[in-house]
C-alpha cells in the first residue's frame, strides 16, 4: 500500500507543477504547459508536450511580423506613425503621431526591445491596417505549414476577433522559426546586441538593447524572441546550435510572475535532451545488390539497373535503426526503355517510409520481332 501511495503522490505532484513525462526512460521536467523541440534541418519533432494545443503566445508573434516585413517591404522606406500606433501600451518606443521612421530601424525596436508601437507602425505601413496585416500574417503562416495559427494583432497583445482569440501552437511557432533562421536579415537584426537610430527629422534619438538573454546564456544560441501577457504567461521561441544540430525550442505558458526565469530553465532542458539523445547519421544502401534483371522476350536477356540518391543524412535517436527495403521485380517484359522506373528503395523508420529512391534501367532492350526470329533462323540454316 505504501508503495502505491508513493506512486500516486508523485503523479499528483507532477500534475500540480506542470511536469511532463515522455516515457519512463525519457522523463523531462518542464514548467511550460506546451513545448516543442524541433530539428531545424529535417523538421523532425524531437520532443512534444501538448505541442499542437492552441494557446496565446504574446510577443513571440513578432518573429512572423519581422519576417513578413523583411520579405515584403522595402526596409529603407519610411513609415508614418498613426494615432493608433502612437496609442499602443507599454512596452513601446514612444513614437508620436505624424513622425516617420525607417522601416529597418523599427524592426530593431520590434525585435530587440519588443516595442508594441513599432509592430503597429510596421503593420499599417505594410497593409494599411492591423486587420489587413493580420490576414496577411495568417496566410504567411499557412504557407509555412502553420495551419493552427490565428493572429489578430501584429505584436501579440491579447485580442479576439470574429474567428477567435490571438493564438497559435508551439508546433506552428517552431515551423515559423524554422523559416526565420533561414533569412540573413532576420538573423542580423535579432542577433544585434544594440541598435541606435533617430526619426526622419533627426530630432529624436533612440537606443535599443537586445533582451534575448539566451544569446549570452547558452553557447550556440542563434536567435529567439521572448513574450509575456497575462493570458499567455512567459513564452519563448528560439534556435540553438549544438553537437552539429540546429534545434528550435518553443515553450508556452511557462510560468507567471515572479517566475520569469522558468522559460530559460525549460529551454536548456530541451536543448540538452536533444543533444544527448539525437545525432545525424549517413544512411547509404548497398547499391551493389542492384543486379541485372532478366528481360522476357527481349533481344538481349538482361538489362542493367541503378538508383539515383547516394543515400541520405538522417537525424536518429539512440537505438533507432533505419531499415532499407528494395522493391524490384524478378524480371521485366520487353520492350524496356532507358531510364524507365522499375522499382524503388525504401528507407523505413519506426515502421514508416520516410524516403524513396527510384530504381531505373540504364539501357534499352527491344522486343524480339519477326526480323529477329528470321535472322536466328537464317543463322541456323547457314551453319
Amino acid at each position: 500500500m505504501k508503495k502505491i501511495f508513493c506512486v500516486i503522490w508523485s503523479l499528483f505532484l507532477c500534475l500540480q507543477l506542470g511536469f511532463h513525462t515522455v516515457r519512463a526512460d525519457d522523463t523531462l521536467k518542464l514548467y511550460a504547459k506546451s513545448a516543442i523541440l524541433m530539428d531545424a534541418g529535417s523538421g523532425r519533432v524531437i520532443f512534444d508536450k501538448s505541442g499542437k494545443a492552441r494557446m496565446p503566445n504574446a510577443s513571440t508573434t513578432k518573429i512572423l511580423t519581422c519576417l513578413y516585413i523583411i520579405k515584403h517591404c522595402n526596409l529603407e522606406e519610411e513609415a508614418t506613425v498613426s494615432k493608433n500606433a502612437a496609442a499602443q501600451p507599454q512596452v513601446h518606443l514612444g513614437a508620436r503621431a505624424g513622425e516617420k521612421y525607417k522601416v529597418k530601424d523599427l524592426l530593431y525596436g520590434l525585435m530587440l526591445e519588443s516595442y508594441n508601437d513599432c509592430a503597429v507602425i510596421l503593420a499599417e505601413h505594410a497593409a494599411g491596417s492591423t486587420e489587413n496585416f493580420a490576414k496577411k500574417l495568417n496566410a504567411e503562416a499557412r504557407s509555412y505549414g502553420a495551419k493552427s495559427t490565428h493572429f489578430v494583432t501584429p505584436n501579440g497583445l491579447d485580442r479576439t476577433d470574429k474567428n477567435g482569440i490571438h493564438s497559435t501552437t508551439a508546433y506552428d511557432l517552431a515551423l515559423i522559426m524554422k523559416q526565420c533562421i533561414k533569412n540573413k536579415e532576420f538573423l542580423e537584426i535579432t542577433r544585434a546586441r544594440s541598435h541606435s537610430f533617430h526619426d526622419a527629422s533627426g530630432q529624436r534619438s533612440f537606443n535599443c538593447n537586445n533582451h534575448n538573454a539566451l544569446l549570452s546564456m547558452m553557447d550556440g544560441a542563434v536567435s529567439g524572441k521572448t513574450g509575456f501577457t497575462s493570458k499567455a504567461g512567459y513564452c519563448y521561441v528560439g534556435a540553438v546550435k549544438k553537437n552539429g544540430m540546429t534545434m528550435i525550442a518553443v515553450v508556452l505558458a511557462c510560468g507567471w510572475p515572479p517566475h520569469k526565469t522558468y522559460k530559460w530553465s525549460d529551454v536548456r532542458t530541451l536543448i540538452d535532451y536533444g543533444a544527448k539523445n539525437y545525432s545525424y547519421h549517413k544512411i547509404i544502401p548497398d547499391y551493389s545488390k542492384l543486379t541485372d534483371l532478366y528481360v522476357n522476350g527481349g533481344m538481349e536477356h538482361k538489362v542493367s539497373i541503378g538508383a539515383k540518391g547516394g543515400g541520405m543524412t538522417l537525424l536518429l535517436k539512440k537505438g533507432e535503426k533505419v531499415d532499407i527495403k528494395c522493391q524490384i521485380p524478378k524480371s521485366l517484359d520487353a520492350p524496356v526503355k532507358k531510364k524507365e522506373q522499375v522499382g524503388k528503395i525504401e528507407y523505413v523508420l519506426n515502421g514508416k517510409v520516410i524516403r524513396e529512391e527510384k530504381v531505373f534501367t540504364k539501357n534499352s532492350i527491344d522486343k524480339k520481332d519477326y526480323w529477329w526470329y528470321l535472322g536466328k533462323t537464317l543463322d541456323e540454316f547457314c551453319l
Side-chain angles (χ1 to χ4, degrees):
M1 280 294 293
K2 185 176 180 181
K3 186 176 181 180
I4 294 173
F5 174 79
C6 289
V7 171
I8 293 172
W9 181 247
S10 296
L11 289 172
F12 172 77
L13 286 177
C14 287
L15 289 171
Q16 290 295 103
L17 293 172
F19 291 168
H20 175 69
T21 300
V22 185
R23 289 195 303 269
D25 60 336
D26 278 342
T27 303
L28 284 189
K29 294 182 178 181
L30 299 178
Y31 296 104
K33 290 185 177 180
S34 174
I36 278 283
L37 182 64
M38 177 184 287
D39 172 56
S42 65
R44 181 177 182 182
V45 174
I46 298 173
F47 178 86
D48 181 345
K49 176 185 177 180
S50 303
K52 293 191 176 181
R54 292 185 65 171
M55 303 177 68
N57 64 297
S59 288
T60 58
T61 301
K62 291 167 183 168
I63 66 169
L64 185 56
T65 296
C66 180
L67 184 62
Y68 183 90
I69 296 297
I70 289 171
K71 291 177 63 177
H72 299 283
C73 296
N74 182 344
L75 304 192
E76 298 303 314
E77 285 183 350
E78 292 180 348
T80 304
V81 182
S82 69
K83 290 183 179 180
N84 176 44
Q88 293 302 303
Q90 292 189 355
V91 178
H92 58 210
L93 177 70
R96 300 164 184 168
E99 291 180 334
K100 294 183 179 182
Y101 293 86
K102 186 191 291 187
V103 169
K104 191 168 185 177
D105 289 334
L106 292 171
L107 287 177
Y108 280 99
L110 177 79
M111 299 306 291
L112 302 193
E113 293 280 359
S114 202
Y115 287 146
N116 291 315
D117 51 355
C118 287
V120 174
I121 299 167
L122 290 166
E124 292 176 342
H125 174 74
S129 69
T130 55
E131 291 78 14
N132 287 339
F133 188 72
K135 293 177 183 177
K136 292 180 181 294
L137 273 193
N138 293 326
E140 191 84 3
R142 286 192 295 273
S143 73
Y144 302 151
K147 298 179 181 179
S148 296
T149 294
H150 177 63
F151 287 160
V152 181
T153 66
N155 46 29
L157 293 177
D158 297 321
R159 293 287 187 277
T160 302
D161 65 9
K162 63 180 181 179
N163 294 313
I165 66 170
H166 184 102
S167 60
T168 185
T169 67
Y171 177 74
D172 276 15
L173 275 176
L175 291 177
I176 294 168
M177 193 61 174
K178 185 171 179 284
Q179 296 299 319
C180 288
I181 60 175
K182 294 178 182 178
N183 189 284
K184 291 182 180 180
E185 286 182 297
F186 180 91
L187 292 176
E188 174 195 325
I189 292 167
T190 58
R191 290 177 60 81
R193 290 185 178 275
S194 63
H195 180 72
S196 298
F197 64 97
H198 49 75
D199 71 337
S201 70
Q203 295 179 1
R204 300 184 68 199
S205 299
F206 304 88
N207 185 65
C208 299
N209 296 302
N210 199 327
H211 292 274
N212 180 10
L214 199 73
L215 290 174
S216 57
M217 288 170 52
M218 184 175 286
D219 290 340
V222 175
S223 179
K225 184 71 188 74
T226 57
F228 174 81
T229 65
S230 59
K231 289 184 179 180
Y234 291 113
C235 304
Y236 185 75
V237 52
V240 177
K241 288 184 178 180
K242 191 169 183 178
N243 292 0
M245 300 164 54
T246 299
M247 292 172 279
I248 297 171
V250 183
V251 290
L252 300 178
C254 197
W256 274 259
H259 304 298
K260 192 173 183 179
T261 61
Y262 279 3
K263 60 182 178 290
W264 304 129
S265 173
D266 277 3
V267 169
R268 186 175 294 279
T269 297
L270 288 168
I271 297 299
D272 287 347
Y273 170 81
K276 179 181 177 181
N277 292 282
Y278 287 80
S279 58
Y280 275 99
H281 298 266
K282 183 71 174 178
I283 310 298
I284 303 176
D286 185 358
Y287 293 109
S288 66
K289 293 184 178 180
L290 296 178
T291 56
D292 295 350
L293 293 180
Y294 183 79
V295 180
N296 300 311
M299 289 188 175
E300 297 180 35
H301 294 306
K302 293 184 178 181
V303 63
S304 297
I305 59 173
K308 290 182 179 179
M312 69 179 297
T313 301
L314 187 65
L315 183 72
L316 297 175
K317 188 178 181 181
K318 287 182 180 179
E320 283 185 330
K321 182 183 177 183
V322 176
D323 294 320
I324 305 295
K325 296 182 179 180
C326 194
Q327 296 189 14
I328 301 173
K330 293 182 179 180
S331 63
L332 301 173
D333 293 328
V336 175
K337 295 181 180 179
K338 185 179 180 180
K339 294 185 179 180
E340 177 182 345
Q341 183 179 350
V342 294
K344 59 184 177 180
I345 297 172
E346 294 180 336
Y347 296 73
V348 182
L349 177 62
N350 298 327
K352 182 180 179 180
V353 178
I354 57 173
R355 179 177 173 175
E356 292 182 354
E357 287 181 16
K358 294 179 180 179
V359 176
F360 57 91
T361 54
K362 292 184 176 181
N363 55 289
S364 300
I365 303 291
D366 292 329
K367 186 177 181 179
K368 294 176 182 177
D369 55 14
Y370 170 81
W371 298 107
W372 184 88
Y373 284 107
L374 178 60
K376 284 291 184 180
T377 302
L378 290 174
D379 286 345
E380 292 180 8
F381 179 79
C382 295
L383 289 176

